[in-house]
């Protein structure tokens, strides 16, 4: 039995193992932040609208700052060093957040720290695609360990908050960031021929002037943004419907588990990145349509399994598409520009989701299904342009 389980896990070389460890550290930090950072902000006396402003800061930074940082990194061709610097600097940034007092100090500290922390995702994906390409290894087999760590962090942070005061939670995040920084220091340098500029460097591309790039990015943005109602109100709705917190946590875990399985088998999928995004659109369309029809509780675990497609396939296709679109020295730029379009869709939909859910409740999922459908239509338009 153990032999079969070991055979099912992806085999990683030294480069892949170190990268998987870094992804695990990064996603563990996010797994602590995403569900529980609002509770810490609330413990510091911030009101609901103030909490929303603070949490919106990283999205704005991702849209405007990350593309600039990524261009600088590509110009100097040192993605690994940028990852190490951003990781260690983020530790100091979150420590400053921990001692900040009042809304304006916390907002300022959080915004400045986001300049350091938010580019890490795009830089890590660019570093991963460049290094894994030279080894003919799959991105999904490495990235899945990040999803595993995200799930563990959800459970760990929930248990931790039952034994420590909420206002001390920020220091647990700082410790997790410190561990992530150590993992960043272990990352192997990229091969010289891939990580350094050459005399015959290709002409730089302006991704904002490429209609096909923007169409694919817009399609992926709509698909990912269609998760807004789920991310923001699923726990609220399920609890109001009579489910306990343990059942809600289990449903979330099923979704993350399905994502992990998808990443684990993605190396065997020979699909084009656009086909993967199309698979994500189909999964999201089906998932949110069923959710909008108020399905029985027994059907929810099956619906949650669609997270493997609505998020997993879309994410994998997006990363691979941006990687293929980039020139050798523009990998970080492509990931950042693609991510900026995703961030814009996420920010707009998240801001609107509260009003939408208040107005029509669970039927808001049908609007999310419509967004996924529009994303699928954009993929069709891109396909005709390509032909």
């Amino acid at each position: 039995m153990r032999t079969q389980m070991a055979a099912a896990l992806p085999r990683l070389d030294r480069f892949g193992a170190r990268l998987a460890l870094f992804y695990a550290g990064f996603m563990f930090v996010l797994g602590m932040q995403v569900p529980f950072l609002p509770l810490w902000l609330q413990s510091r006396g911030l009101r609901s609208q103030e909490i929303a402003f603070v949490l919106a800061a990283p999205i704005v930074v991702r849209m405007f700052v990350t593309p600039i940082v990524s261009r600088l990194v590509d110009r100097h061709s040192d993605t690994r060093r940028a990852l190490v610097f951003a990781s260690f600097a983020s530790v100091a940034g979150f420590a400053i957040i921990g001692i900040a007092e009042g809304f304006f100090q916390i907002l300022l500290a959080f915004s400045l720290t986001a300049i350091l922390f938010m580019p890490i995702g795009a830089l890590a994906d660019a570093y991963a695609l460049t290094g894994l390409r030279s080894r003919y290894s799959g991105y999904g087999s490495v990235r899945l360990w990040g999803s595993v760590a995200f799930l563990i962090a959800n459970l760990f942070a929930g248990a931790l908050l039952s034994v420590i005061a909420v206002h001390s939670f920020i220091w647990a995040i700082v410790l997790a960031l410190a561990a992530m920084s150590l993992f960043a220091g272990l990352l192997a340098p990229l091969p010289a021929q891939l990580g350094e500029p050459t005399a015959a460097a290709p002409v730089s591309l302006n991704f904002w002037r490429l209609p096909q790039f923007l169409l694919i990015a817009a399609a992926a943005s709509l698909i990912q943004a269609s998760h807004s109602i789920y991310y923001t109100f699923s726990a609220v709705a399920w609890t109001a419907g009579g489910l306990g917190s343990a059942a809600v946590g289990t449903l979330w875990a099923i979704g993350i588990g399905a994502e992990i399985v998808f990443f684990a088998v993605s190396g065997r999928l020979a699909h084009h990145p656009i086909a993967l995004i199309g698979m994500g659109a189909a999964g999201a369309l089906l998932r949110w349509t069923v959710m909008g029809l108020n399905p029985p509780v027994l059907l929810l675990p099956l619906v949650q399994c669609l997270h493997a497609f609505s998020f997993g396939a879309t994410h994998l296709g997006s990363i691979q598409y941006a990687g293929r679109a980039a020139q050798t020295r523009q990998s970080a730029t492509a990931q950042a520009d693609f991510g900026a379009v995703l961030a814009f869709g996420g920010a707009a939909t998240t801001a609107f989701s509260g009003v939408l859910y208040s107005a029509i409740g669970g039927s808001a999922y049908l609007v999310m299904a419509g967004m996924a459908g529009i994303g699928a239509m954009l993929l069709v338009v891109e396909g005709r342009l390509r032909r």
Side-chain angles (χ1 to χ4, degrees), residues 22 162 166-167 238 277 359:
F22 175 75
S162 67
V166 178
H167 63 78
W238 288 335
I277 299 175

Side-chain angles (χ1 to χ4, degrees), residues 167-189:
H167 63 78
S168 301
F169 181 68
I170 190 70
W171 302 112
I173 295 178
V174 172
L175 289 175
L177 278 165
M180 181 195 79
S181 301
L182 295 177
F183 299 153
L186 295 176
L187 290 172

Side-chain angles (χ1 to χ4, degrees), residues 34-111:
V34 173
F36 300 111
L37 191 60
L39 295 178
W40 179 81
L41 292 170
Q42 187 179 53
S43 75
R44 300 306 297 269
L46 271 64
R47 295 169 295 186
S48 298
Q49 192 58 52
E50 292 172 336
I51 292 174
F53 277 125
V54 171
L55 296 180
I59 302 177
V60 176
V61 167
R62 185 183 180 190
M63 283 191 292
F64 296 105
V65 176
T66 299
I68 297 174
V69 172
S70 298
R71 279 166 170 77
L72 292 174
V73 171
D74 276 335
R75 182 176 301 173
H76 295 283
S77 299
D78 202 344
T79 310
R80 177 188 174 276
R81 183 176 297 179
L83 277 171
V84 174
F85 172 79
S87 297
F88 278 98
S90 295
V91 178
F94 271 86
I96 293 173
I97 292 173
I99 63 176
E101 295 287 346
F103 166 65
F104 289 105
Q105 284 189 20
I106 292 176
L107 177 62
L108 178 61
F110 208 81
S111 299

Side-chain angles (χ1 to χ4, degrees), residues 206-218 321 378 381-382 385:
N206 186 339
F207 297 105
W208 296 102
R209 294 184 178 180
L210 300 178
Q212 289 175 278
F213 183 90
L214 294 177
L215 277 172
I216 297 300
Y321 178 81
L378 291 180
V381 172
E382 188 279 335
L385 286 177

